[in-house]
Amino acid sequence: MKFHDKQAGKMTLKLMTCAVAGASAMGLASLAQAQQTLNIVSWGGAYTMSQQKAYHEPWMEQTGDEIINIDRSGNALAGLRAQSQAGNVTWDLVDMLPADAMIACAEGLIEPLDHDELLADAPDGTPPSEDFVDGALGECFVASIVYSNIVAFNTEMFPEDNQPSTIADVFDLEQFPGKRTLLRKPINNLEWALVADGVAPEDVYDVLETEEGIQRAFAKLDTIKDHVIWWEEGAQPPQLLADKEVAFGSAYNGRIFDAMVSEDQPFEIIWDAQVFELDGWVVPVGKLDKVKDYLYFATDTQRLADQAQYISYGPARYSSSDMVSVHAETGIDMMPHMPTFPPNFATAIQKDDEFWADYNDELTQRFDAWLAQ
Amino acid sequence: MSESPASPLTTADGVPLKVSLRRAVRRSKIKAFLLVSPLLLFLGIAFVMPIIEMLWRSVDNPEVTTHLSRTVAALEGWDEESLPGEPVFAALVEDLREGQAARNLGLLSSRLNYEKSGMRSAINRTARQLRTIEPPYREALIELNDTWGELDTWKLIQRESTPYTLTYYLAAVDRQLTPTGEIVQVPDHLKVHVSLFWRTFWMSAAITGLTLLLGYPIAFLLASLPLRHSNLLMILVLLPFWTSLLVRTTTWIAILQSQGVLNDVLVALGVIADEARWQMIHNKTGTIVAMTHILLPFMILPLYSVMKTIPPSYMRAARSLGGKPFLSFRRVYFPLTIPGIAAGGILVFILSIGYYITPALVGGQSGRFITNYIAYHMQTSLNWGLAAAIASILLFVVIVFYMVFNRLIGVDKVKLG
């Protein structure tokens, strides 16, 4: 008797769960007509947070869509390739570097974009092709921000009357002792080594295209090699600086800014010879219809200006730059923290995507061999 | 006494016993096969096929033949001593035009860029500017990009126009083909893989040795203590074994880093000065310490299972026959534990050469393994052919070790606990 009771109880429970699941599935299915789930790939950390606040949340509120953040931009190209080879692309929109976008575009992994048709005009009616900064609109790419690779230092590690200020100081072990942390890639490091060795920022890539130039850069890096901890994840340099494991750290400027304002870290950025580049959206093949409206929304003037309230990356639209104001939480003025702020920008180097597209494989191998010596 | 020819034995329903037996055996064989078939299918799909795919990818070379088919055809019979003629250039223009329209030149340009830096932009830039050029194409292309005027470019295209290639394997062992097809070493400043292979092997051997050194006494203690105590000890071995790999690795970072626990203690005790903290992590030491700890249970468990089967009376017998403790250990106990040592050794060694997260996190530059390079080529450089070649070499090494082990000790000796 008891056994039967139990069985019966189990059965009803099962039936009930089935019924509930069925009903909710039907409910979801009918909702899906109007609302959808967007899988958006980005970098994570403070940057994804700024996207979440500036455009994901307003969009979800407006449409009822659900946006899922996937932190895979570091390896987005490999991910796109693998998904496309498997014939099942699950990403709807991807945040990517323009150099990767060039390769993905040439491989036919992402959609070519007609910018003037797809994107919003500036408030004064300027078409997108004239409102975005130079190089922001690629064949398959639309930039949303300008970010920068900089070197920051912990102000407590140096006496007040002897604080570093130029990229050459990073290579000056006598006056500025301590460990450095640098990205474990040739990119940025070779540029900085040359600038520290006396090459003018605008000539860096011309010099790097020659064998002597490469040797010169490596020779300069040799002088600090024993004092470098190499980092690979964007979160590492702020951490190492905060722990005082290192005195200097190369980093993305937004991460350092975030640590300065949200965690009150005593960091300062050396803007000298900052290597700036763009970052923005690409659409995997076949997903354009699904993300069209969202892309229009997320790249308009207001949204890009909003994003600059949360992170110190410059908007890729001229019309948004004029609207950059204060930090949303602390109220500090954002302008002086932007890579594009004129005093910061004086000696800036624009990362040469074509140079790195050609030489990255070889220079990375050379860099690794150099590290292993 | 008349012996009638023996009528075959039959079962109750008249079927000859032999036939009946055969049927029964066949039926049970089919049943057994059906029972294991899901596993076989799973192994085939999840294990064998990926390995075949990997081996195939390490020699597969479709890019040039597919995307430059006309150029390759036109290059046939080329003397390799002077620049090819106008028909080859015209074919190249047609190939690039088609590739540009279909947007599939990316793989081709990446492929050629592995062999010759600069090919990526040469191809992509040329393809973008095709609209502006007119015959004769030879002059026009060379005008557009110097690369097309170099003999080596054409030798490269000719060389890579085979459906299979050895270049990935050559690159994996720091060799390369010259444009004329000779195998030479890459320049010193580009050599990375061979030294990484050796480092992976010797560090794995060192880790195996350390786990043996630390694990042997523990396993002995486990096997000789009464069950009540050994169970407690066993839990202490197994708990870290069950803890997430990532947690254990990051814990070592917290302990060993220069502002970490161990350095703090040493400074507080006055053993080292505050400015002279030891660098114990983000180098070889970090990898060896963390991996020895992580792999220790894989040594202890097989050792324990072997030691457990050795009757204590053997040692007593040896002692009573006059053997000193060390001698009886060396002549009696130790030889009996060799299967355990070998089983633990091969487990730890093979696991260790495949480790990748731990060396990546705590290895810094000097403590990274070749596996970190496989990940790099899979995820960052996207040179999947090279990643497959390196992985195939590792697979080959593992198979060789396994076969040597099987010949010397026998695989049936491997058991965990």
Side-chain angles (χ1 to χ4, degrees), chain A residues 183-188 190 214 218 232 355-372, chain B residues 117 120 189-193 196 365 368 372-373 376-377 380-382:
Chain A
L183 176 59
R184 212 192 71 88
K185 284 180 186 169
I187 232 158
N188 302 336
L190 295 182
I214 295 173
F218 276 107
E232 284 177 78
F355 173 84
W356 284 111
D358 276 341
Y359 292 98
N360 192 33
D361 290 335
E362 186 186 332
L363 286 179
T364 302
Q365 192 172 352
R366 191 163 172 167
F367 185 77
D368 284 337
W370 172 76
L371 282 179
Chain B
S117 291
R120 194 195 308 265
H189 61 253
L190 291 177
K191 279 183 190 158
V192 276
H193 298 115
L196 268 169
Q365 181 54 35
R368 61 182 38 226
N372 299 118
Y373 244 73
Y376 166 75
H377 287 303
T380 310
S381 80
L382 297 176

Side-chain angles (χ1 to χ4, degrees), chain B residues 291-357:
Chain B
M291 283 184 58
T292 301
H293 172 235
I294 287 163
L295 292 171
L296 198 52
F298 290 97
M299 180 62 86
I300 295 177
L301 294 175
L303 273 176
Y304 169 75
S305 75
V306 168
M307 289 176 179
K308 200 70 191 158
T309 60
I310 302 172
S313 52
Y314 286 11
M315 278 296 270
R316 284 203 293 271
R319 295 289 297 280
S320 74
L321 289 172
K324 294 252 166 56
F326 180 74
L327 187 72
S328 5
F329 170 79
R330 197 172 62 83
R331 298 283 295 275
V332 177
Y333 196 81
F334 183 75
L336 287 169
T337 60
I338 281 180
I341 295 174
I346 190 115
L347 260 178
V348 171
F349 185 79
I350 287 179
L351 280 174
S352 161
I353 59 175
Y355 254 55
Y356 127 82
I357 294 175

Side-chain angles (χ1 to χ4, degrees), chain B residues 165-243:
Chain B
T165 181
L166 268 181
T167 45
Y168 293 126
Y169 277 101
L170 290 175
V173 292
D174 292 339
R175 303 283 192 286
Q176 65 183 11
L177 283 171
T178 61
T180 47
E182 288 161 73
I183 296 173
V184 293
Q185 296 221 349
V186 298
D188 279 344
H189 61 253
L190 291 177
K191 279 183 190 158
V192 276
H193 298 115
V194 172
S195 60
L196 268 169
F197 270 117
W198 286 124
R199 183 196 294 163
T200 307
F201 296 143
W202 84 250
M203 280 178 66
S204 297
I207 289 162
T208 311
L210 278 172
T211 52
L212 178 63
L213 216 61
L214 296 170
Y216 197 92
I218 299 174
F220 179 73
L221 194 64
L222 273 171
S224 51
L225 279 179
L227 211 56
R228 197 156 48 88
H229 296 125
S230 74
N231 274 348
L232 185 73
L233 209 59
M234 188 56 117
I235 286 178
L236 291 182
V237 172
L238 288 177
L239 262 188
F241 184 52
W242 291 328
T243 311

Side-chain angles (χ1 to χ4, degrees), chain B residues 136-149:
Chain B
Y137 289 123
R138 190 165 131 151
E139 282 67 38
L141 280 182
I142 294 174
E143 172 97 5
L144 213 55
N145 200 310
D146 298 341
T147 311
W148 305 118

